[in-house]
Amino acid sequence: MRAIILAAGLGLRLQQPAGEQFPKCLLQFDGMTLLERHLQMLEAAGVEDVVLALGFQPETVRTELKRMGWPRDVEIVLNPRYDLGSVLTVHTVADALTRGGDVLVMDADVLYDERILSALVAGETVNRLLIDRDFETGDEPVKLCLKDSVPVELRKQLAVNLEYDTIGESVGFFRFREETARRFAEIVAGYVDSGRANMPHEEAVRDLLLERSQVFDTADVTGAPWIEIDFPNDVERATREILPQLQPLVSAPR
């Protein structure tokens, strides 16, 4: 199994002071960066093949990898047009998507409990989505809607006539089987070729779900603490509410 961590963006909505901006994966909570948390939990889960998709200030991320003394090679792929959408970042890691085996595609700016990752990687080869039914309504969360356990929508804005029996927030992590990852890469390439490189990669995932060419299961992670960090108040909430709920990390031996 391979993990692709998307960490290319500018993070403009975080409103970091001028001259002090840095990749969000380097945000620290309890003295540990989000990046180190990702790597420790992936290794503890047995996922040692990690690809980092970088763009903004890649040298600072490389410095963090050296600082933490990470013992395994982490493949780094650069998206020079990181100012565009995450579809383009996913396109830059197309080789990692298509070289075989199950693939995890993970947003870097998420503080989460290891139960989230355990739900994602459990079992044999599978396509899997994560849903949290306890979420705040509004325009910001990416909603995942199911009807008879089948995904029928993955978007921030829902059509008024959409029929579903389950709704929740999509955690920013996806698992794809080998053939599904290849199809996902094809859809992403279509976005780039048609001038839609500025789109979020969730739109390509949505297309994959709605074409019904692949079967997905959904793991319900309601109750497991996590937060995607986009705005300054997310940092405050992560520190105040999420961090105290996290299970202590159990690091795999290095």
Side-chain angles (χ1 to χ4, degrees):
M1 190 180 299
R2 180 178 312 105
I4 299 173
I5 301 176
L6 305 179
L10 282 159
L12 292 175
R13 295 185 298 178
L14 199 57
Q15 298 175 0
Q16 295 170 332
E20 300 179 21
Q21 197 170 356
F22 55 86
K24 286 194 290 182
C25 67
L26 301 185
L27 285 167
Q28 290 193 13
F29 296 93
D30 198 23
M32 184 181 296
T33 63
L34 291 177
L35 175 61
E36 185 169 3
R37 287 180 178 274
H38 272 298
L39 293 177
Q40 284 203 17
M41 283 196 280
L42 285 167
E43 182 158 310
V47 182
E48 299 177 355
D49 186 355
V50 178
V51 178
L52 266 178
L54 304 179
F56 176 61
Q57 292 189 2
E59 69 282 355
T60 61
V61 180
R62 289 192 175 99
T63 298
E64 169 63 7
L65 288 170
K66 291 179 181 178
R67 182 206 64 78
M68 72 175 72
W70 195 250
R72 304 191 187 281
D73 289 336
V74 175
E75 181 181 347
I76 293 177
V77 180
L78 297 181
N79 172 17
R81 291 304 314 274
Y82 54 83
D83 54 315
L84 296 177
S86 55
V87 153
L88 186 58
T89 298
V90 172
H91 187 55
T92 63
V93 293
D95 176 69
L97 274 173
T98 59
R99 70 174 68 138
D102 278 21
V103 180
L104 311 179
V105 177
M106 312 175 72
D107 287 337
D109 58 351
V110 182
L111 178 67
Y112 60 98
D113 191 83
E114 65 180 357
R115 285 169 283 178
I116 299 283
L117 185 59
S118 295
L120 190 65
V121 303
E124 299 299 323
T125 179
V126 69
N127 297 312
R128 180 166 292 146
L129 310 169
L130 301 180
I131 187 170
D132 184 351
R133 292 177 289 102
D134 183 14
F135 74 105
E136 296 182 3
T137 59
D139 293 338
E140 189 59 30
V142 176
K143 289 88 172 173
L144 175 59
C145 301
L146 312 176
K147 185 172 177 57
D148 299 327
S149 300
V150 175
V152 294
E153 187 57 285
L154 180 74
R155 241 180 194 172
K156 292 184 177 182
Q157 303 287 343
L158 302 180
V160 293
N161 60 345
L162 179 68
E163 294 185 5
Y164 58 87
D165 51 44
T166 305
I167 184 172
E169 184 172 1
S170 171
V171 180
F173 304 155
F174 306 98
R175 178 175 172 179
F176 302 124
R177 297 178 62 186
E178 180 175 336
E179 62 271 25
T180 310
R182 291 183 182 276
R183 177 60 187 143
F184 180 52
E186 290 173 357
I187 294 172
V188 166
Y191 270 69
V192 174
D193 292 343
S194 61
R196 295 177 290 163
N198 62 330
M199 299 293 287
H201 68 284
E202 289 89 353
E203 283 295 299
V205 177
R206 176 182 184 266
D207 289 352
L208 177 63
L209 297 177
L210 297 186
E211 74 177 16
R212 304 285 191 267
S213 63
Q214 308 291 331
V215 176
F216 278 81
D217 75 19
T218 305
D220 192 328
V221 296
T222 304
W226 70 281
I227 186 170
E228 183 178 8
I229 300 170
D230 289 320
F231 301 99
N233 64 318
D234 293 333
V235 177
E236 297 173 8
R237 185 181 165 212
T239 302
R240 183 180 66 254
E241 299 179 21
I242 305 301
L243 190 62
Q245 298 183 63
L246 300 185
Q247 294 180 354
L249 289 178
V250 179
S251 301
R254 299 188 181 183

